[in-house]
Every structure is written in C-alpha cells, then in structure tokens.
Amino acid sequence: MPSIDALSPFWVILGLLQAVLLLVLSPLMSGISRQIRARMQSRRGPGIFQDYRDIVKLFCRQEMSPINAGIIFRITPLVLIGTMLLVAMILPIMTYGSLMSMVGDLIVIIYLFALFRFFFSLSGIDSGSPFAGLGASRELMLGILVEPILILGLIVIALIAGSTNISFMGIKFITQWGGATPTAAVLAMLACAFAVFIEMGKIPFDYAEAEQELQEGPLSEYSGIGFALIKLSISLKQVVFASLFIAIFIPFSPANFLLAILCYLVKLVIVFVLASIFENCLCRGRFLLTSNVTWAGFGISVLAYVFYLTGL
C-alpha cells in the first residue's frame, strides 16, 4: 500500500471520496444488522436496503421544529454529519497512511467524537421537550461510561507505537504485535473492541429501532431533512467506529486500490456481522445497570496500561 507523508490536493480529494463511500455504505451496514437481528429472532424483517428508502422518504417530507427550539437544535444535524464525514476522511482505509496525515491524530479524532456526542445531547435539551431532555441525559451518561475505556485503550496502543498518529499506530501494531508488551496490546485491543461495540449502539447499551424509548429521546422532535441527516449520521458513526478498529488492529490491505477497497469492505461486513450476532445473543437490561457492565471494560483498559508499565 502506498504511504502518505504530506497533505496534498490529491489526497484531500481522495479523502472526500472515501468519506462519501462510507456515507453511502452506512445505511447498508445498518440494514445488514437489522436483517441479522430479524433472522435470529425468527422474523422476516425489513430488507437490507430499507434504510435507503426511509432516508429518501424523510428528505421528501417537510421539516418542522418545536416552537421553543433554538439554534443548537437546528444546526445539530449539520454538525453531526459534518463531524463524522471529517473523521471518515482522516481514517486510513485504502492506504497504510492517513489520507490527511497532518490531522490524522488520535487526539483530534477523540475530540471529534466528543463533539458529536455533545451536540447530539445538547440538541435534545435545546428542543425544550422533557422526553428529549431525559434521552440527552442518558446519552451523556453513556458517554461518561464508555469514553474512558476507548481513550485509555487507544492511549496504550499509542504508547506502544510511540505515536498518536492513527496510521503509525496501525502499522506498528500489525508488524510488531505489541512489541515488547504483547499482553498489554491484546488487552488494549479487547478494551477498544468493547468500547466500539457500545458506540455502535448494540444491546444492552442501546436498543435497535428504539426511537420511542428514552435512549433515542434526542431524536423525538426531529422530522424531515433534519431527521434524515441525523439517521445518516448515526449510521455513519457506527461505520466510522468499526473502521477505526479496523484501521488500528487489522489494517493490512493489498497494494492495489480496488483490491484494498474490496478487502476493507469484507473486513467491515465481518465486523458488523460478528457484532450483530453477539448483540442478539444478549438480552435487554435496565439502563441504570449499564455501569455494572462497563466497569469490566474499564478494568481491562486499566490492566492494559498496568501491563504496559510493567513491560508485559
């Protein structure tokens, strides 16, 4: 695979095309997850292209806003889709190097994810709806529980690689398999996988198709184009998190661009299929008990850091 050492117009354009590719794929991945869920529950379920039809219908409908909604409520759909598209541009998917290596940094990506959750939650509060406000509080609570797991796991990988650049982290991990601290690398990978599973909105941390439940409360006041953009953003977020895991822990790809894209698609489908199968082997639980489960993931990430410090 070609490596990228500097930002150039060609790579910016390629990054934009990559972001568009992930945006187009995101409803398909969501549809595959829904179809797996239906089959495992002995239902026929919607087709894998149902999300495309839903989004097209929403774009054709009139957009309405609550009378008490402010500017945050109105700009949130654009902020969410823009944030995820920017992350999609940064991730090294078709190349070993980041398409935008100057900003392909772990710290930047973490802040972009935090910005997504901040606006998503704030929009529910800004809508003036008590139901949306409760959903926003749950989203913030979930962020407090899961973000330390992801950040600490990625920091351990960055310490092992000696860099916070996503491309370099992936190359070092796959070529050295943790270097002098293989145990720490494996535990960090497990912690990141746990956090990515949560961020992909899987049971019991989120409930699929639960737009009428508190977990999806911030969406209750959206309609039309705004709702379509948010649904796209949430689907794209799932693909981006899966792609982040792929870029760091299984980044190997063929040298040919077309084969690299095909290889990435295969890995992405495998990640979604495995996550969907595992999700549907679990049962729903009370949201207030979520912290009892996330402590296990946080413990794994802390162990990874301890093993790194001890050189194991």
Side-chain angles (χ1 to χ4, degrees):
M1 293 295 297
S3 60
I4 302 169
D5 300 320
L7 191 65
S8 68
F10 173 77
W11 296 117
V12 172
I13 294 173
L14 190 60
L16 287 171
L17 293 176
Q18 176 177 285
V20 172
L21 173 64
L22 266 62
L23 181 64
V24 172
L25 284 175
S26 55
L28 177 62
M29 295 297 106
S30 178
I32 291 174
S33 297
R34 293 173 66 179
Q35 184 62 215
I36 293 174
R37 183 182 310 116
R39 295 299 181 180
M40 292 186 68
Q41 296 173 0
S42 301
R43 298 185 290 109
R44 182 178 180 180
I48 60 174
F49 300 109
Q50 183 61 45
D51 280 20
Y52 291 104
R53 292 189 284 268
D54 292 342
I55 290 170
V56 170
K57 289 179 182 178
L58 287 172
F59 271 111
C60 296
R61 292 180 179 176
Q62 181 181 3
E63 185 174 9
M64 301 179 66
S65 302
I67 190 171
N68 296 323
I71 185 64
I72 298 297
F73 179 87
R74 293 177 173 82
I75 68 172
T76 291
L78 297 176
V79 173
L80 298 188
I81 193 71
T83 302
M84 286 300 104
L85 285 174
L86 183 56
V87 178
M89 290 177 62
I90 294 173
L91 294 178
I93 293 174
M94 295 177 290
T95 60
Y96 277 132
S98 172
L99 296 176
M100 300 180 66
S101 56
M102 294 179 65
V103 292
D105 189 85
L106 174 63
I107 307 302
V108 174
I109 292 177
I110 289 175
Y111 271 104
L112 288 174
F113 286 145
L115 182 67
F116 182 98
R117 175 169 273 114
F118 174 76
F119 270 89
F120 183 67
S121 302
L122 195 59
S123 66
I125 299 173
D126 193 51
S127 67
S129 168
F131 183 80
L134 286 173
S137 67
R138 288 198 169 197
E139 180 66 24
L140 290 173
M141 176 181 172
L142 188 63
I144 293 172
L145 294 174
V146 68
E147 286 180 359
I149 303 173
L150 180 65
I151 292 172
L152 188 54
L154 292 177
I155 285 176
V156 171
I157 299 299
L159 290 172
I160 294 173
S163 172
T164 56
N165 184 275
I166 295 296
S167 306
F168 194 72
M169 289 167 61
I171 294 172
K172 293 284 286 187
F173 184 85
I174 202 63
T175 56
Q176 298 185 9
W177 287 97
T181 55
T183 306
V186 171
L187 289 175
M189 182 177 67
L190 292 176
C192 290
F194 182 78
V196 167
F197 180 81
I198 299 175
E199 292 288 7
M200 290 175 68
K202 302 300 183 181
I203 293 175
F205 308 100
D206 199 354
Y207 305 130
E209 304 165 7
E211 283 78 5
Q212 303 305 316
E213 301 191 23
L214 284 178
Q215 188 66 24
E216 299 296 334
L219 304 180
S220 59
E221 298 297 334
Y222 280 99
S223 60
I225 297 177
F227 191 27
L229 289 176
I230 290 184
K231 285 182 69 70
L232 267 175
S233 302
I234 294 174
S235 297
L236 181 58
K237 178 186 175 183
Q238 297 177 4
V239 173
V240 164
F241 267 101
S243 301
L244 176 65
F245 185 82
I246 292 171
I248 294 177
F249 298 105
I250 42 176
F252 45 86
S253 296
N256 183 279
F257 270 111
L258 294 179
L259 291 178
I261 295 174
L262 180 61
C263 183
Y264 162 73
L265 293 178
V266 171
K267 291 186 287 187
L268 184 65
V269 170
I270 291 174
V271 169
F272 266 85
V273 169
L274 292 178
S276 299
I277 293 174
F278 183 71
E279 170 195 21
N280 289 282
C281 293
L282 303 174
C283 61
R284 293 182 57 159
R286 293 181 59 192
F287 185 82
L288 294 178
L289 299 179
T290 301
S291 58
N292 296 341
V293 182
T294 54
W295 273 114
F298 184 71
I300 294 174
S301 61
V302 171
L303 277 177
Y305 184 67
V306 170
F307 278 117
Y308 169 77
L309 293 177
T310 56
L312 297 177

